[in-house]
Amino acid sequence: MLQDKLKEGIRDGPEYAGTVTKYVFIESNHTTPDDLALHAYELAAPVMIKETCFGLQVTGDPADVEAVIARIREVDPSHIFVKDRGFPPGDARRCRANMGGARPGYFGHEAEAGVLRYVSYGLQRMYHGDSLSPSELEIIHPKERVELSNERLLEIFNRDA
Amino acid sequence: MNVYLKYSIVMREIMAKVFIYPTTSLILSDMVERLGHIPLGSALSVRDTVQQGGVEGIDSPPLNMTPDDAKRGLKWAAVEVPPGVRGRMSLLGPLIAEAEAAIIMDEPLAFGCMGCARTNELATFLLKEADIPVLELNYPQTDDEGFAFVMAIKEFLKGLEGGEQKAGDGNE
């Protein structure tokens, strides 16, 4: 159990071996990380919950974390996004409390956060039971890339020669 | 029944393992898990590396490279390929081998040094060469595209064997 591991304090081996850590991102006008933390604590599950500016980090045994995540998702299903994290929170190799300065990483999250609102809108409509025809789905698929023909390549060569 | 107990007995059914690219994508990881499947992202490999014994001395995450990683990468990249690519492939290669499907974002937000860029190219090439269903998508830029994005992933995952809706449609 995670609680037993926490009581052991500093150990020689890797920290929190056998546990999983999940990021919970909240992108909502109505729900704050504080709300999520309260719902997570209500379960009294044996997990470690860290509240952050973007949501939560939940660490514990896989089944416990899954139970907490399932409960949290109910709060605002369309605006809560969850992903795995490799490192446990506070890991000395990643935590800026030890490193100083800005924490490296989060660039991908920052970039994807810009389109989360569109995904949330799509999720809302999906939960509402709306559907799309196959032709309407095409707008999100990448367009076929047209290969450069030999003639066009020669044309470019001759033009630049 | 205690709420915690109620949720702790929710057991996952057998689901498809879906490789996501970019491998750190929050949106794809969430969508795959939300719709009842297992997302295979780099966090899983990094977690295994962090939690396995014998790597306590490694202090240069997120790479966590050891000489053995570069050797393991030889399975997916030739010996003349830089160790930066081979080391990263030691994280992604096992996931690609394990994947039963893949979702690849076009023009992804995955960026970084040349090691990352070449590894990304190799990873997407291996996924497209593998005999698994692959869904290629753009990032949505409007509400309508967002809806199409969600529905495209939903239809794709529904087509995978053993898939079932976890969050449930119309439950709200």
Side-chain angles (χ1 to χ4, degrees):
Chain A
M1 296 290 287
L2 178 66
Q3 288 171 330
D4 298 330
K5 291 169 187 165
L6 290 172
K7 283 177 188 172
E8 291 175 18
I10 299 172
R11 295 171 294 113
D12 292 335
E15 288 184 317
Y16 311 120
T19 66
V20 299
T21 300
K22 297 245 185 187
Y23 278 126
V24 181
F25 287 76
I26 177 75
E27 178 82 4
S28 171
N29 295 332
H30 310 290
T31 312
T32 64
D34 188 42
D35 297 333
L36 291 186
L38 283 175
H39 281 91
Y41 286 131
E42 278 177 0
L43 291 176
V47 297
M48 178 165 64
I49 297 165
K50 182 182 181 188
E51 187 182 335
T52 67
C53 58
F54 54 77
L56 303 176
Q57 291 182 52
V58 185
T59 303
D61 292 332
D64 296 327
V65 172
E66 179 136 349
V68 172
I69 297 294
R71 175 71 185 91
I72 290 174
R73 274 194 192 277
E74 285 189 353
V75 178
D76 200 346
S78 308
H79 296 94
I80 287 172
F81 298 88
V82 179
K83 79 178 284 265
D84 282 290
R85 188 189 179 195
F87 286 88
D91 189 288
R93 294 168 294 184
R94 297 297 281 164
C95 182
R96 64 182 168 192
N98 308 91
M99 300 169 70
R103 181 193 180 284
Y106 286 128
F107 300 115
H109 298 156
E110 186 181 349
E112 286 200 334
V115 299
L116 279 183
R117 61 181 182 274
Y118 306 126
V119 180
S120 292
Y121 174 82
L123 286 170
Q124 280 176 329
R125 288 191 62 182
M126 184 187 81
Y127 286 130
H128 195 255
D130 293 350
S131 59
L132 277 179
S133 67
S135 61
E136 290 172 309
L137 285 178
E138 287 302 315
I139 61 170
I140 200 64
H141 293 298
K143 292 186 175 63
E144 286 282 328
R145 289 189 178 85
V146 181
E147 292 185 0
L148 189 66
S149 67
N150 292 340
E151 291 76 19
R152 175 67 182 142
L153 183 62
L154 275 175
E155 194 180 309
I156 294 171
F157 273 145
N158 294 333
R159 186 191 65 195
D160 294 343
Chain B
M1 180 186 284
N2 180 294
V3 178
Y4 169 64
L5 285 177
K6 178 184 166 189
Y7 284 98
S8 65
I9 60 174
V10 174
M11 297 299 290
R12 287 192 159 204
E13 301 292 331
I14 301 300
M15 298 166 289
K17 295 174 180 173
V18 183
F19 189 89
I20 55 172
Y21 176 82
T23 55
T24 55
S25 173
L26 165 67
I27 295 173
L28 290 184
S29 180
D30 178 83
M31 287 297 300
V32 171
E33 189 176 340
R34 182 189 293 266
L35 294 169
H37 296 269
I38 301 172
L40 297 182
S42 58
L44 303 185
S45 299
V46 173
R47 178 185 297 152
D48 287 345
T49 309
V50 167
Q51 294 189 356
Q52 73 187 10
V55 296
E56 295 85 3
I58 295 175
D59 57 0
S60 58
L63 307 181
N64 277 292
M65 278 277 293
T66 65
D68 284 342
D69 287 329
K71 290 175 192 166
R72 272 195 291 272
L74 285 171
K75 186 173 181 181
W76 297 278
V79 69
E80 65 266 24
V81 174
V85 175
R86 284 187 277 130
R88 288 171 174 83
M89 283 311 295
S90 73
L91 297 179
L92 302 187
L95 296 178
I96 293 173
E98 203 178 346
E100 294 162 338
I103 302 178
I104 299 174
M105 300 304 294
D106 198 50
E107 299 174 8
L109 303 170
F111 47 82
C113 58
M114 289 311 288
C116 290
R118 295 290 168 257
T119 308
N120 288 339
E121 287 179 359
L122 181 57
T124 50
F125 171 75
L126 290 174
L127 287 171
K128 290 175 182 175
E129 288 292 301
D131 189 21
I132 57 173
V134 174
L135 175 68
E136 291 187 68
L137 293 172
N138 284 326
Y139 275 104
Q141 299 300 327
T142 64
D143 283 347
D144 288 340
E145 287 184 8
F147 184 39
F149 176 83
V150 170
M151 294 307 287
I153 294 178
K154 182 187 170 190
E155 293 298 320
F156 176 72
L157 295 179
K158 197 192 284 182
L160 302 177
E161 192 178 355
E164 67 176 48
Q165 295 296 307
K166 185 179 174 187
D169 297 345
N171 283 347
E172 285 186 306

